[in-house]
């Protein structure tokens, strides 16, 4: 019996991961490590750690970028494309179908009740992400200062893109001062700005006009080009673009989109498909999906041949610390902003605190917590009667 080609193996493995990988980016990384390092031995554990670090240095969905890196390592350029596509497509198709159902049946009382139960659970998921990530995202006093300034900037209405670029500039300036003090002549900033600016359209925010497919694609490509961190940070960028600036989406719809991305397998960024469908139907869903994931393929294609060099560049490390600190501020601002949009009641408070306790004190996955919130919301409606 002949063994499958590396490319066929890549397709089979990442399709299965795309169907079964629940739990968010951290769970995806763990599943890939178990499958490809421990079981199949495609790659050593040290090499796997290098690829995880490389994925963190470029914008976009980290677990998807890791899948793309692993496909490239196993089967070259064709493997890069196949691994990413096979990991993304199952989640996208599932979310696409849910979005259609949401538009067709979302006005039903039962569906509305379930969504009201999910929304405080989503906030609990974001809060626990802040709590667990705080130490790894803010590692120094300068980083804490950047996080505080970014938090104030978001609340003042400054765009997330401008805050990110400003934080990177400050970090690079501090790195340059430290370098001069140590009389170190090695250039710390080489390669940083291109890595952070892949695919960013000139001129900042993009106007969708009539919510055309091309406008949806460009907006999501911009977001995918500058978004660092986990899928939860996507919530901040989506709100800034489509709720606050354009006014074409409500906070409730945005929370529903993130919830759908969380409870389905594969990348949380598949929530973009949901939002795209709300904005422009099937064409909008396709445009949003292509826009949000294209920068990940481009970023990995550019950096994959230079993983070792990226890992050893001091300037990249400083820039990433700044981006991580700003990420925490973005998450905190989302909790305050969207939390104000959820009507307070004993039910919503109970769901929020119960969800928070489960996430912080047990090993239950976020997806199950969101399902639980939906069940509680439905039970509340049934008990209230017609």
């Amino acid at each position: 019996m002949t063994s499958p080609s590396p490319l066929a193996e890549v397709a089979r493995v990442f399709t299965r991961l795309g169907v079964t990988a629940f739990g968010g980016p951290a769970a995806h990384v763990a599943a890939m490590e178990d499958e490809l390092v421990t079981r199949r031995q495609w790659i050593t554990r040290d090499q796997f750690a290098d690829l995880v670090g490389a994925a963190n240095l470029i914008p976009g969905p980290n677990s998807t970028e890791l899948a793309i890196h692993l496909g490239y390592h196993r089967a070259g350029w064709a493997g890069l494309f196949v691994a990413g596509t096979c990991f993304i497509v199952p989640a996208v198709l599932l979310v696409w179908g849910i979005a259609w159902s949401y538009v067709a049946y979302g006005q039903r009382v039962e569906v509305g009740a379930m969504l009201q139960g999910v929304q405080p659970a989503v906030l609990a998921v974001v809060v626990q992400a802040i709590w667990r990530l705080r130490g790894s995202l803010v590692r120094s006093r300068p980083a804490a200062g950047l996080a505080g300034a970014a938090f104030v900037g978001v609340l003042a209405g400054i765009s997330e893109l401008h805050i990110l670029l400003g934080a990177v500039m400050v970090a690079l300036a501090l790195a340059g001062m430290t370098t001069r003090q140590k009389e170190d002549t090695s250039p710390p900033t080489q390669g940083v700005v291109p890595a952070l600016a892949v695919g960013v359209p000139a001129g900042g925010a993009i106007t969708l006009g009539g919510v055309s497919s091309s406008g949806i694609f460009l907006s999501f490509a911009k977001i995918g080009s500058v978004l660092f961190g986990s899928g939860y940070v996507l919530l901040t960028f989506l709100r800034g673009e489509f709720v606050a600036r354009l006014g074409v989406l409500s906070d409730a719809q945005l929370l529903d989109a993130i919830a759908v991305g969380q409870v389905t397998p594969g990348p949380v960024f598949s929530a973009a498909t949901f939002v795209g469908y709300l904005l422009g139907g099937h064409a909008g869903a396709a445009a949003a999906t292509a826009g949000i994931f294209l920068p990940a393929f481009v970023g990995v294609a550019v950096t994959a041949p230079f993983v070792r060099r990226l890992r050893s560049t001091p300037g990249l490390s400083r820039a990433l610390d700044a981006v991580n600190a700003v990420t925490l501020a973005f998450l905190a601002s989302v909790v305050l902003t969207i939390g104000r949009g959820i009507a307070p009641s004993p039910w919503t408070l109970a769901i929020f605190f119960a969800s928070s306790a489960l996430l912080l004190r047990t090993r239950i996955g976020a997806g199950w917590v969101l399902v639980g919130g939906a069940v509680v919301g439905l039970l509340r409606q049934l008990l209230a009667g017609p």
Side-chain angles (χ1 to χ4, degrees):
M1 181 178 177
T2 59
S3 60
S5 68
L7 189 60
E9 193 178 13
V10 165
R12 185 174 67 251
V13 168
F14 282 101
T15 297
R16 181 165 58 81
L17 286 171
V19 172
T20 61
F22 289 87
H28 301 165
V29 172
M32 291 179 199
E33 192 277 336
D34 179 66
E35 180 70 24
L36 305 180
V37 177
T38 303
R39 298 178 184 274
R40 296 179 180 269
Q41 298 181 352
W42 283 9
I43 191 171
T44 68
R45 190 159 276 104
D46 287 343
Q47 289 172 320
F48 184 84
D50 285 344
L51 296 184
V52 173
N56 284 325
L57 289 175
I58 56 178
N62 290 346
S63 60
T64 302
E65 289 166 345
L66 178 59
I68 298 171
H69 268 297
L70 289 165
Y72 174 80
H73 180 89
R74 182 64 173 172
W77 292 107
L80 180 151
F81 175 78
V82 169
T85 301
C86 290
F87 185 63
I88 292 166
V89 165
V92 165
L93 293 178
L94 184 56
V95 170
W96 202 317
I98 293 173
W100 175 84
S101 300
Y102 178 89
V103 172
Y105 304 107
Q107 298 302 315
R108 290 182 62 89
V109 174
E110 297 85 351
V111 175
M114 293 173 68
L115 294 175
Q116 289 176 7
V118 166
Q119 289 170 6
V122 172
L123 280 188
V125 169
V126 179
V127 169
Q128 67 85 28
I130 293 173
W131 180 255
R132 289 179 174 172
L133 291 172
R134 67 193 189 286
S136 59
L137 293 180
V138 179
R139 301 181 178 181
S140 64
R141 288 185 178 179
L146 283 175
F151 181 77
V152 173
V154 172
L155 295 184
I158 301 175
S159 76
E160 291 83 0
L161 175 57
H162 292 156
I163 291 172
L164 271 175
L165 293 177
V168 169
M169 294 299 180
V170 170
L172 294 179
L174 292 175
M177 292 172 58
T178 303
T179 300
R180 287 192 295 272
Q181 290 172 357
K182 294 182 178 180
E183 297 182 351
D184 184 356
T185 59
S186 61
T189 62
Q190 184 176 359
V192 174
V193 174
L196 294 175
V198 171
V200 180
I206 298 167
T207 300
L208 294 182
V211 199
S212 66
S213 297
S214 60
I216 292 172
F217 171 82
L218 290 174
S219 260
F220 276 98
K222 180 192 67 174
I223 292 171
S225 298
V226 299
L227 193 160
F228 284 80
S230 71
Y232 305 121
V233 186
L234 179 64
L235 184 62
T236 306
F237 283 80
L238 292 179
R239 189 183 188 283
E241 181 77 359
F242 299 114
V243 179
R245 195 179 72 82
L246 298 173
V248 294
L249 209 65
S250 70
D251 280 329
Q253 290 172 321
L254 183 57
L255 284 176
D256 295 340
I258 295 298
V260 168
Q262 182 66 53
V263 300
T264 51
V268 178
F269 276 48
S270 60
T273 306
F274 188 97
V275 173
Y277 188 88
L278 297 186
L279 296 176
H282 293 299
T289 302
I292 199 71
F293 286 111
L294 180 61
F297 284 93
V298 174
V300 174
V302 170
T303 59
F306 309 104
V307 169
R308 291 183 181 274
R309 187 180 303 176
L310 288 173
R311 291 272 293 168
S312 61
T313 303
L316 281 172
S317 178
R318 291 295 188 103
L320 184 61
D321 285 344
V323 170
N324 286 343
V326 171
T327 294
L328 190 70
F330 286 172
L331 289 170
S333 69
V334 164
V335 170
L336 287 181
T337 303
I338 296 187
R340 290 198 297 262
I342 298 177
S345 71
W347 282 93
T348 56
L349 292 175
I351 292 172
F352 174 80
F353 287 115
S355 299
S356 299
L358 287 172
L359 290 165
L360 292 173
R361 298 187 176 276
T362 72
R363 298 179 63 87
I364 189 171
W368 289 110
V369 170
L370 298 181
V371 170
V375 171
V376 172
L378 181 59
L379 288 176
R380 177 194 177 191
Q381 175 64 34
L382 294 176
L383 292 174

